[in-house]
Amino acid sequence: MANVPASALSKEQQDELLCTYSALILHDDGAEITPQAMTNLIKAAGCSVEGYWPMLMAKMIGNVGMDNLIKMGSGAGGGGGGGGKRGSLHSPAGAVGASNGPGGVS
């Protein structure tokens, strides 16, 4: 969702994102993550969510733990870049697929 403007998200995605951010803010502040605390923070930001979202998120956080959820989400790095060009400096000499000249012909 980071590459998409918030206005392009569905209402459900916006609600989930607001709850996620509110939970992260509360966690970072050392405050207890409760449905009411999340709702208060969301309202203070001038936003609103369906009433069930803070309750669901707070229950999930209580069961799994915020630190564990953060660890789960932090392992998703970017894609592993494409393979190097044939004959690039990263191809060891003599390796299959390595080329020393045009078209891979030595």
Side-chain angles (χ1 to χ4, degrees):
M1 281 190 251
N3 295 329
V4 178
S7 60
L9 299 175
S10 69
K11 174 64 174 146
E12 292 80 19
Q13 289 172 321
Q14 289 178 10
D15 287 1
E16 183 179 0
L17 195 58
L18 283 164
C19 287
T20 299
Y21 285 153
S22 67
L24 286 169
I25 290 167
L26 291 167
H27 176 73
D28 190 50
D29 197 38
E32 185 178 359
I33 302 171
T34 65
Q36 189 60 53
M38 292 172 70
T39 301
N40 291 343
L41 191 54
I42 292 166
K43 285 183 180 179
C47 301
S48 64
V49 298
E50 293 290 333
Y52 62 87
W53 275 108
M55 188 173 23
L56 284 174
M57 293 288 279
K59 185 173 182 177
M60 177 185 63
I61 292 165
N63 288 336
V64 178
M66 193 65 173
D67 290 328
N68 289 333
L69 288 169
I70 291 170
K71 287 176 190 173
M72 283 183 217
S74 66
K85 289 190 327 187
R86 295 182 84 181
S88 72
L89 295 176
H90 301 293
S91 297
V96 174
S99 65
N100 296 324
V105 178
S106 297

